[in-house]
Amino acid sequence: MPDPSTSDPDEQRRTILATAYAEASALNRMHRDALTDFLRAPAAVPLPSGARPLYWLGRLRQWRGIDLSQGDSATPDWSALRMGVLEALAGTYALALYEDVWRGQRRRQIYDRDIALLIAMLVTLGWAHLAAHVLKCRFGSDVNHAGHPVPGGIAGMIVGVAGKGLNVPVVPCTFQKGEELLAEMIEVWDLDDSVFTPLAIQLANRHLSHCRQDSGQMLFDFDHPVEQAMPIELLMMLRLRGETSIPDVLSRHPALQHPAATLIEPHPPVLSARCRTFIDCVSRVLPACETLDAAIAIQVQLFTTS
């Protein structure tokens, strides 16, 4: 692995993405086999043994949808990205419910960051109703948050901004020293361009600095190639501000140069066959998972009636 402090930044990024892709591909078969075992006998296999593989298979499908280095296409496969997002959502949604029921509140924080990033992606894709449902179920102010930390860092910023943008009362978020920009974005995301744009540029700069560098020197917010390619925390805000494309002043920023770092035309959610089967199986074990299915159906209906 090249030394991050001395290698060319472009070559370093290509190396990081290639490494992440190889790691994900190597795990693909293992996850598919585990998910198949769960779907074949859901009552005999612990739920996490099916939910975790679906989450990671969804993450891999997302990346394969937007990774343009493996083929001749210059355009992301948005259908694959959307299906992958729904698979990852179903997996982590079920895991979070499982941990709440069988392991208690102390385990909730494990999934807060993953769910917050998914909420940002849902908003970015134009699935506001579905995003609001997940936000309310996980971070709503009427949810019992006793016994576990409130969201902070990038998850806290996403929750705070999404709560205001989607009109969902959420639990108060806390921020550490050095996270002043994240706290400020919650207050300015919907202000005039003259106020928002300079801070949005700072957030884009922060995104680049918080992409995984394999240095081992710190923890990064974006250690998966999907979020590295798509600054969804910023794309979410632009969508909530009513933008339909990236403003010129931001379109030239290095953080938004990947073809997937854009605001695509929203389309209704479509479940993959394995995601549909998974939700049906899990709903028999965790009836609360039916609420996710219902929220997806309502989101589809909103597209057909608009």
Side-chain angles (χ1 to χ4, degrees):
M1 179 71 64
D3 181 353
S5 64
T6 60
S7 61
D8 175 75
D10 290 337
E11 179 62 27
Q12 176 188 341
R13 179 174 177 79
R14 286 193 292 270
T15 300
I16 291 170
L17 293 180
T19 300
Y21 188 89
E23 291 172 350
S25 297
L27 292 171
N28 183 40
R29 181 177 295 277
M30 180 185 73
H31 289 319
R32 281 189 301 163
D33 290 345
L35 179 60
T36 298
D37 290 342
F38 173 79
L39 296 180
R40 186 181 296 121
V45 179
L47 185 144
S49 297
R52 290 193 185 98
L54 182 64
Y55 171 80
W56 286 111
L57 287 169
R59 297 290 271 162
L60 181 58
R61 175 169 276 179
Q62 292 174 54
W63 174 234
R64 286 179 168 172
I66 67 172
D67 177 26
L68 307 180
S69 65
Q70 305 297 313
D72 299 327
S73 176
T75 305
D77 183 346
W78 297 115
S79 177
L81 173 70
R82 286 189 285 261
M83 281 190 179
V85 169
L86 291 170
E87 289 176 346
L89 175 62
T92 196
Y93 193 94
L95 275 172
L97 287 174
Y98 174 86
E99 297 292 359
D100 282 356
V101 172
W102 277 285
R103 300 195 184 184
Q105 294 285 329
R106 63 188 178 85
R107 301 279 296 187
R108 284 181 56 92
Q109 66 269 26
I110 295 175
Y111 303 102
D112 282 355
R113 176 177 169 275
D114 290 340
I115 293 178
L117 291 174
L118 281 166
I119 289 170
M121 180 65 86
L122 295 174
V123 174
T124 297
L125 293 176
W127 296 342
H129 175 81
L130 183 55
H133 168 77
V134 178
L135 181 66
K136 182 177 181 181
C137 289
R138 189 65 182 180
F139 302 107
S141 59
D142 58 345
V143 175
N144 180 15
H145 295 275
H148 74 95
V150 298
I154 192 66
M157 188 204 73
I158 290 171
V159 168
V161 172
K164 291 187 174 183
L166 299 173
N167 296 315
V168 175
V170 296
V171 62
C173 302
T174 60
F175 298 93
Q176 305 298 320
K177 183 178 180 180
E179 296 179 340
E180 292 81 6
L181 174 63
L182 302 180
E184 192 170 4
M185 293 307 299
I186 297 177
E187 305 302 326
V188 307
W189 70 271
D190 59 345
L191 298 185
D192 292 341
D193 289 346
S194 60
V195 178
F196 172 77
T197 300
L199 293 174
I201 293 173
Q202 291 184 41
L203 188 64
N205 292 337
R206 182 188 183 278
H207 181 91
L208 291 178
S209 69
H210 273 262
C211 286
R212 168 184 161 196
Q213 300 295 312
D214 286 336
S215 66
Q217 296 176 359
M218 64 175 290
L219 296 176
F220 297 93
D221 285 337
F222 310 109
D223 57 0
H224 191 278
V226 170
E227 284 80 38
Q228 290 188 7
M230 299 178 66
I232 54 175
E233 75 281 17
L234 182 54
L235 295 174
M236 173 192 74
M237 292 186 198
L238 295 175
R239 182 72 78 183
L240 290 173
R241 287 172 62 84
E243 301 284 358
T244 56
S245 61
I246 306 300
D248 289 343
V249 69
L250 288 171
S251 65
R252 297 184 293 272
H253 194 283
L256 291 119
Q257 295 311 298
H258 192 283
T262 188
L263 295 174
I264 61 170
E265 181 181 355
H267 285 267
V270 176
L271 294 174
S272 65
R274 65 190 181 193
C275 190
R276 173 75 272 164
T277 303
F278 175 84
I279 292 176
D280 290 342
C281 289
V282 171
S283 295
R284 292 195 288 268
V285 180
L286 284 173
C289 210
E290 294 177 353
T291 61
L292 175 62
D293 195 16
I296 294 172
I298 292 174
Q299 185 67 77
V300 172
Q301 185 65 26
L302 290 172
F303 276 90
T304 60
T305 58
S306 60

